[in-house]
Amino acid sequence: LDIQIVEVARRRSRGQTVHKVLGLSQCLSSCKKLSGKQQAFAKKLDKLGKSLYEPNHGGTYAIFKERPLNIVILIYAAHDVRYLFELYQ
């Protein structure tokens, strides 16, 4: 299960038509149950993660093949599921 999939389900349950899947940062920004600190942390982590894996942000997808995985990538992946229930509600 992925936070972006839960966010799509949330919009559909409210009768909204979904044309695209939002990114992690956008999903968490739309979650009113997260505190300002939690949202700020999510944005910082999103920026750090993208700088490691997204080519247009200076990263490379090869980072996912490295072992052990980079600690930022591990935290980024864990963060992807951390707020599933808060977002769905």
Side-chain angles (χ1 to χ4, degrees):
L1 193 57
D2 184 89
I3 200 164
Q4 284 97 335
I5 301 303
V6 171
E7 194 279 328
V8 167
R10 180 182 66 111
R11 284 189 280 160
R12 286 185 176 163
S13 74
R14 294 178 178 173
Q16 298 174 334
T17 302
V18 178
H19 296 288
K20 68 177 187 171
V21 177
L22 301 178
L24 176 62
S25 182
Q26 289 175 308
C27 288
L28 294 176
S29 294
S30 72
C31 183
K32 304 300 180 208
K33 292 190 174 194
L34 299 185
S35 70
K37 265 185 160 178
Q38 289 170 314
Q39 288 187 3
F41 178 76
K43 284 184 182 188
K44 183 177 180 178
L45 186 57
D46 185 61
K47 187 176 180 177
L48 282 170
K50 285 180 179 176
S51 73
L52 292 173
Y53 76 84
E54 277 201 11
N56 56 341
H57 286 97
T60 176
Y61 295 121
I63 191 121
F64 293 107
K65 293 179 182 178
E66 293 178 9
R67 294 296 181 267
L69 283 172
N70 181 294
I71 190 67
V72 174
I73 294 297
L74 288 172
I75 295 169
Y76 184 88
H79 201 71
D80 195 33
V81 297
R82 182 176 182 184
Y83 299 111
L84 284 174
F85 295 111
E86 288 88 347
L87 184 64
Y88 191 69
Q89 295 171 357

